[in-house]
Amino acid sequence: MAATGSEKQGATAYYVSTPIYYVNDAPHLGHAYTTVAGDVLTRWHRQRGEKVWYLTGTDEHGQKIMRTAEANNVTPQAWCDKLVEEAWKPLWEHLNIANDDFIRTTEKRHTDRVQEFVQDLYDKGEIYKGGYEGPYCVGCEEYKLPGDLLDGEGEFAGQKLCPIHKKPVELLKEENYFFKLSEYGPKLLEFYAANPGFIQPESARNEIVNFVEQGLQDLSISRSTFDWGVPVPWDDKHVIYVWIDALLNYATAVGYGANQEKFDGTFPADVHLIGKDILRFHTVIWPAMLMAQGLPLPGKVVANGWLMVGGEKMSKSNLTGIKPQDLTSHFGVDAYRWYFLRAIAYGSDGSFSWEDFTARYTSELANDYGNLASRVAAMVGKYFGGALPEATAAGDAERAVQEGLAKAVATADQKIGEELDFQSGILAIFDFVKQVNGYITEQEPWKVAKDTTPEGQARLATILYTAAEALRGVAVLLNAVMPETSQNLWESLGAEESLGALADQKVQDAGTWGTLPAGATVTKGAVLFPRLEEKPA
């Protein structure tokens, strides 16, 4: 049985990847959704104290890139360079993505290793020459099975359409090289059965198992009708099929064939995050390639759903693509990172609307979380001159808050760190925020402040310390999701000076009560989540 990412021998890195994105156009919300999810996951594991490797990048070969470049009167390489440097990398920086590497499939560190990998399979007898004729979607860069196609209507009447791009497929006939994928069906089914968590969610697993059970066809792994790709090493009249090229990025980026120590300490990925439209490539073709080469298989492949606008998948081809900057300029980067993981269950399709984002921002971020931080800082400033008081009169109400924080830590760590259920993890944290708001409402510190007796002042001090210490835990828990806001809260609580950098705080220690020391200087900084202006035109 092939090893998986969870069984890596002597591995030191928690390795997470996004798809490498096709650079035929600028990124939209769908691309950013997966990348932010990977960033939150890896930031969470870093804050557990683990070594992490987070990979993203761009897929730059294939017929679609070539045609796009031709339409823009530039070479394919010039087109890729422009998009990567002016659109893709700047967006990831804008969204505060803390990736460890950015792989481009036109880089020599990748193309050389791809040729070596394919040559090795050819030498082993896993690849043979043949001919193929069938419907091909340039948008997907994939031969389609006839049963997967849609009947065209209107301007496309009488034609067969790609079910994803809703555009006519092209009938291609060419001489290609083939990988013996058909021989790996039984091995894949055995692997799926032994590793039921390999494909997530369950609906995706069922889809792939059913697909493989119907029997696999050998896979065309070269193209001979255009030349924008990695040349087949033994036959330069062919280029390697773009998906074979692309999938290998997960190996080449971590040292395959070039840095054995790094490769052994990182590969295979613990988690591949992908869109569900590329599920078969990652759960059928990729593991079969690894099996053929005797390499370990990933720990899990997790397919997120589609972001929908007006009932259509968000994509440039469907004209529903929205730039992330359209939202971050209005709501802010941290709110953007929070919203999609909070509003949509990861693995399910979800609809985006400006109105829903506005309502959640106002209710949960501004009113519940931001207002709590402002109120606590203001009261510590008003009643204790900004010096966090000591809690000396704790009772049942305070113990309930302590227990609430411990529960939030345990739930969020399990949901986000292990299950990739970002929505439930974030909800657990915000349920605790609501609990702290309720605690302040019930304890009414503004009324307790009127009691100037030592007992009254001790009670006031305890209430405000409890609220501030609760916010300290929230800052740690939300650091992976909203790093800038969490840092601002951390500094306003005086934690930076007394406890050190927020990035050094362990998630699992967030619930250790009493960490924030009395005497810390609490300041009321800028509002964490400002009131929204009018929706821009």
Side-chain angles (χ1 to χ4, degrees), residues 331 338 342 355-372 430 433-434 437 529-532:
F331 296 99
W338 167 86
R342 157 64 184 91
E355 292 73 21
D356 184 61
F357 197 160
T358 300
R360 293 184 190 276
Y361 176 101
T362 301
S363 174
E364 298 179 43
L365 294 185
N367 293 349
D368 288 349
Y369 182 27
N371 190 44
L372 172 63
F430 274 79
V433 170
K434 292 180 184 294
N437 273 310
F529 300 99
R531 184 179 300 276
L532 296 173

Side-chain angles (χ1 to χ4, degrees), residues 2 117-118 120-127 179-181 183-184 187-188 256 284-297:
F117 188 98
V118 173
D120 196 30
L121 290 184
Y122 182 70
D123 293 343
K124 291 177 177 177
E126 295 284 348
I127 292 174
F179 169 57
K180 297 178 180 179
L181 181 64
E183 296 182 1
Y184 287 89
K187 298 176 184 178
L188 288 168
Y256 173 77
V284 179
I285 297 173
W286 179 227
M289 289 166 58
L290 294 174
M291 287 177 175
Q293 199 66 291
L295 292 172
L297 274 58

Side-chain angles (χ1 to χ4, degrees), residues 254-264:
V254 295
Y256 173 77
N259 185 337
Q260 193 63 42
E261 182 179 357
K262 179 179 180 180
F263 186 73
D264 291 342

Side-chain angles (χ1 to χ4, degrees), residues 501-514:
L502 176 57
D504 295 332
Q505 307 301 306
K506 299 286 195 298
V507 165
Q508 54 268 39
D509 296 335
T512 302
W513 194 260

Side-chain angles (χ1 to χ4, degrees), residues 451-490:
D451 182 353
T452 59
T453 65
E455 292 79 11
Q457 291 303 293
R459 185 71 198 132
L460 176 63
T462 299
I463 295 169
L464 294 183
Y465 179 87
T466 299
E469 173 65 353
L471 283 170
R472 189 266 322 158
V474 171
V476 175
L477 290 176
L478 287 176
N479 188 40
V481 183
M482 297 188 284
E484 291 185 7
T485 303
S486 295
Q487 182 63 36
N488 291 339
L489 176 57
W490 190 252

